[in-house]
Amino acid sequence: TNENNQFRDKKIIITGAAGTIGEEICYQLIKEEPSDLILIDKNEIGISNLNQKLNKLKLKNTKIKLILANLCFKSVIKKIVGEVKPDFIFHAAAYKHVDLVEDNIISSINNNIVGTYNICSLADKYKVNKFTFISSDKAVRPTNVMGATKRVAEKIVYFFSLKSKTVFSTVRFGNVINSSGSVIPIFRNQ
């Protein structure tokens, strides 16, 4: 066992847990034996599929709770974070398909910016130990709405990092192989 395991016996929230990146974070954290994994997503089919996959793992040391919720509804998220009082939050929830985001700007602003602000403010309010935001390489000098919303979300995370006791950090991913929207599933379908 890893003596430096910061996640063992801790409570962890993952937003966007049913997405490709959120799901992978979930699998990596399960190995570290947290006491509780609270998996939030607004995608009913995605969370149902994730539940089926996790049920096959026969976990002994980690309680898993799947929550169907939208980060834009702050009162709902506040109830979850207030009850759980997590040690860590991994925020992977986002609309990231460039073409869809371009065609659905208002929904994307709500999801990527308002949702990020809501979860950051709650991480601060409930003194979460560490908050990690999963961003995109498209946030660097953005040329599309998706990149711009992720850039604004990064700025929100940075704003909270300046004033909070919670440690806020951002990780930028490029194209994640085999993630939804990446080229490999497209080639496979063709």
Side-chain angles (χ1 to χ4, degrees), residues 81-125:
V81 178
E83 286 176 4
V84 171
K85 295 191 175 51
D87 301 288
F88 299 90
I89 294 177
F90 288 86
H91 175 44
Y95 287 155
K96 61 184 170 81
H97 293 75
V98 172
D99 294 343
L100 276 173
V101 170
E102 292 290 330
D103 292 339
N104 297 278
I105 293 172
I106 301 299
S107 296
S108 300
I109 287 171
N110 276 330
N111 193 64
N112 293 3
I113 296 174
V114 175
T116 297
Y117 179 84
N118 288 345
I119 195 72
C120 283
S121 66
L122 293 167
D124 177 51
K125 176 182 175 73

Side-chain angles (χ1 to χ4, degrees), residues 15-169:
T15 71
T20 317
I21 293 168
E23 187 176 324
E24 185 58 31
I25 292 169
C26 176
Y27 290 134
Q28 294 302 318
L29 288 172
I30 283 171
K31 296 175 190 172
E32 305 300 321
E33 298 182 345
S35 65
D36 298 82
L37 268 183
I38 298 85
L39 308 176
I40 302 173
D41 206 293
K42 65 181 182 180
N43 178 340
E44 181 185 12
I45 293 168
I47 209 102
S48 175
N49 291 340
L50 179 59
N51 187 38
Q52 290 172 14
K53 292 174 190 174
L54 294 173
N55 282 339
K56 292 176 184 170
L57 297 181
K58 307 273 189 279
L59 301 173
K60 294 183 183 85
N61 300 322
T62 302
K63 285 185 292 220
I64 293 185
K65 184 167 187 175
L66 294 119
I67 299 177
L68 194 58
N70 185 330
L71 297 182
C72 292
F73 298 113
K74 191 172 181 182
S75 59
V76 173
I77 303 303
K78 180 179 180 184
K79 185 175 187 313
I80 296 164
V81 178
E83 286 176 4
V84 171
K85 295 191 175 51
D87 301 288
F88 299 90
I89 294 177
F90 288 86
H91 175 44
Y95 287 155
K96 61 184 170 81
H97 293 75
V98 172
D99 294 343
L100 276 173
V101 170
E102 292 290 330
D103 292 339
N104 297 278
I105 293 172
I106 301 299
S107 296
S108 300
I109 287 171
N110 276 330
N111 193 64
N112 293 3
I113 296 174
V114 175
T116 297
Y117 179 84
N118 288 345
I119 195 72
C120 283
S121 66
L122 293 167
D124 177 51
K125 176 182 175 73
Y126 290 104
K127 298 175 177 56
V128 171
N129 188 16
K130 290 184 181 174
F131 178 99
T132 303
F133 172 52
I134 310 303
S135 189
S136 164
D137 62 347
K138 291 173 182 62
V140 182
R141 292 184 298 285
T143 58
N144 54 48
V145 175
M146 194 282 274
T149 61
K150 294 296 268 183
R151 184 70 179 140
V152 172
E154 285 184 2
K155 296 283 190 189
I156 291 166
V157 173
Y158 178 69
F159 165 78
F160 278 98
S161 77
L162 297 176
K163 68 177 196 78
S164 181
K165 289 189 164 62
T166 298
V167 176
F168 283 87
S169 60

